[in-house]
């Protein structure tokens, strides 16, 4: 009798263990795995960008057991909205100034949790081979949107063509304090600056628009330097402020900031795009 009771007790213990294990694999484990799946909002971009994220995804999975999923956008106004309302966990499409400006305009508290890359803006000319050749009274085209115009004017400052008022952060034409060569600044839509090169002495062109216009970035007569002025143009991975210390999200940043990613960027972009997480901007 005792033997039968003992056998029945063992059977019930085994049944209980099976139920617990089944429950773990059917309910608890999927929940844990879901927590280790991170959705990132990115722009629907180039094949090169997709290849870079493939490299990052492999590292995230192999080293940190984090699965990356992506939600692609075509409108620059959407990824931050998606992050704010929880449609994505992180996003990676914007530089620091864009993020700062967005937060101010929309009263949000999105934050950078890691640097990715910087794409230096460049000055091109079809007539001249150096900045020094641009004549007095010459015309230089710059993008007319607030962020890119400021960036272009800081590039012209670093090229030694103009000076900006002390303390300027978001530069406009009115921020120019000295214009020793009496240059005319022509403000155009960013996607028109490359096309204007037949009609101006030089133009500051974003790399994506230069590529679209068939300009070789190596032909630029000046490249935005890596210094304190350009730090604000570093692209970032962004999260909600409440999630900035999330360990899994930090693992995503670690998966991005690797030698493998650096090599992939160099292979696909040359020096048109530069890994930024270990650059020295205090120059």
């Amino acid at each position: 009798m005792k033997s039968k009771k003992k056998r029945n007790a063992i059977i019930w213990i085994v049944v209980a263990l099976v139920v617990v294990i089944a429950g773990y694999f059917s309910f608890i484990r999927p929940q844990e795995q879901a927590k280790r799946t991170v959705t990132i909002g990115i722009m629907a971009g180039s094949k090169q960008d997709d290849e870079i994220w493939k490299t990052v995804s492999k590292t995230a999975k192999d080293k940190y057991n984090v699965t990356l999923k992506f939600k692609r956008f075509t409108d620059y106004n959407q990824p931050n909205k998606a992050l704010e309302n929880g449609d994505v966990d992180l996003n990676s499409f914007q530089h620091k100034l864009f993020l700062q400006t967005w937060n101010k305009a929309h009263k949000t508290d999105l934050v950078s949790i890691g640097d990715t890359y910087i794409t230096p803006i460049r000055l091109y000319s079809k007539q001249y081979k150096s900045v020094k050749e641009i004549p007095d009274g010459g015309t230089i085209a710059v993008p007319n949107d607030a962020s890119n115009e400021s960036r272009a004017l800081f590039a012209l400052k670093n090229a030694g063509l103009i000076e900006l008022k002390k303390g300027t952060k978001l530069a406009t034409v009115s921020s120019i304090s000295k214009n020793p060569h009496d240059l005319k600044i022509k403000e155009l839509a960013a996607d028109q600056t490359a096309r204007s090169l037949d009609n101006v002495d030089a133009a500051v062109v974003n790399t994506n628009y230069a590529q679209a216009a068939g300009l070789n970035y190596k032909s630029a007569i000046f490249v935005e330097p890596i210094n304190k002025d350009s730090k604000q143009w570093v692209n970032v991975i962004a999260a909600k402020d409440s999630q900035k210390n999330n360990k899994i999200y930090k693992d995503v940043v670690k998966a991005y900031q690797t030698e493998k990613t650096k090599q992939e960027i160099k292979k696909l972009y040359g020096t048109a795009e530069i890994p930024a997480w270990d650059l020295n901007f205090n120059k």
Side-chain angles (χ1 to χ4, degrees):
M1 189 72 177
K2 286 183 180 179
S3 175
K4 188 175 180 181
K5 285 183 177 180
K6 188 175 181 181
R7 187 172 67 250
N8 287 341
I10 292 171
I11 290 171
W12 279 111
I13 289 170
V14 171
V15 170
L17 284 171
V18 169
V19 170
V20 168
I21 292 169
Y24 173 79
F25 281 98
S26 65
F27 180 71
I28 297 174
R29 186 161 182 184
Q31 282 195 327
E32 288 179 352
Q33 190 57 42
K35 289 178 183 178
R36 300 198 70 82
T37 298
V38 178
T39 302
I40 305 176
I42 61 175
M43 297 305 294
S46 64
K47 290 180 180 178
Q48 292 99 316
D49 290 338
D50 289 343
E51 288 301 314
I52 290 166
W53 279 113
K54 276 185 186 178
T55 298
V56 176
S57 295
K58 188 174 188 309
T59 302
K61 187 64 177 175
D62 293 349
K63 192 168 182 179
Y64 301 103
N65 191 30
V66 176
T67 300
L68 299 187
K69 292 186 176 180
F70 300 95
K71 186 166 185 177
R72 289 171 169 79
F73 299 92
T74 56
D75 180 347
Y76 280 96
N77 289 310
Q78 295 306 312
N80 280 336
K81 289 181 181 178
L83 180 56
E84 182 64 23
N85 63 31
D87 287 344
V88 298
D89 302 306
L90 304 171
N91 68 39
S92 183
F93 78 102
Q94 65 197 321
H95 52 59
K96 293 180 178 181
L97 183 61
F98 187 101
L99 178 58
Q100 178 185 331
T101 304
W102 177 274
N103 279 331
K104 189 174 181 180
H106 296 84
K107 295 180 173 55
T108 50
D109 59 352
L110 307 180
V111 296
S112 164
I113 62 169
D115 295 345
T116 53
Y117 62 86
I118 184 170
T119 307
I121 204 166
R122 289 168 164 82
L123 180 67
Y124 296 87
S125 176
K126 287 190 174 180
Q127 301 181 58
Y128 308 108
K129 294 184 178 180
S130 77
V131 170
K132 292 179 180 178
E133 292 179 14
I134 297 174
D136 289 355
T139 300
I140 298 181
V142 300
N144 64 1
D145 60 285
S147 177
N148 283 312
E149 179 171 13
S150 179
R151 189 174 188 179
L153 293 173
F154 271 103
L156 296 182
K157 171 207 158 190
N158 282 293
L161 291 171
I162 61 172
E163 290 184 26
L164 298 174
K165 294 174 183 175
K166 190 174 180 179
T168 296
K169 291 186 178 178
L170 190 64
T172 64
V173 173
S174 64
S175 305
I176 298 172
S177 59
K178 290 185 181 179
N179 186 357
H181 302 288
D182 194 28
L183 297 172
K184 297 176 181 64
I185 306 300
K186 187 172 185 178
E187 299 163 293
L188 299 172
D191 62 351
Q192 296 299 310
T193 52
R195 298 178 186 179
S196 73
L197 280 168
D198 289 329
N199 304 306
V200 297
D201 294 284
V204 181
V205 186
N206 296 80
T207 298
N208 57 325
Y209 293 124
Q211 290 173 335
L215 291 175
N216 186 334
Y217 71 91
K218 294 180 181 178
S219 70
I221 62 173
F222 183 78
V223 181
E224 176 183 57
I226 300 300
N227 62 16
K228 60 184 179 181
D229 286 339
S230 56
K231 188 175 183 178
Q232 60 191 323
W233 314 119
V234 171
N235 280 57
V236 299
I237 294 172
K240 285 186 176 182
D241 184 67
S242 61
Q243 293 296 313
K244 65 184 177 184
N245 294 317
N246 184 307
K247 185 183 180 303
I248 294 175
Y249 296 172
K250 287 185 174 182
D251 286 342
V252 174
V253 173
K254 289 177 186 175
Y256 195 103
Q257 295 178 346
T258 65
E259 189 61 32
K260 275 187 179 180
T261 307
K262 192 180 288 187
Q263 290 171 1
E264 193 70 10
I265 290 173
K266 184 176 181 181
K267 181 179 83 175
L268 296 169
Y269 283 106
T271 57
E273 190 171 285
I274 304 170
W277 54 88
D278 57 3
L279 292 177
N280 178 16
F281 288 90
N282 299 316
K283 299 176 185 176

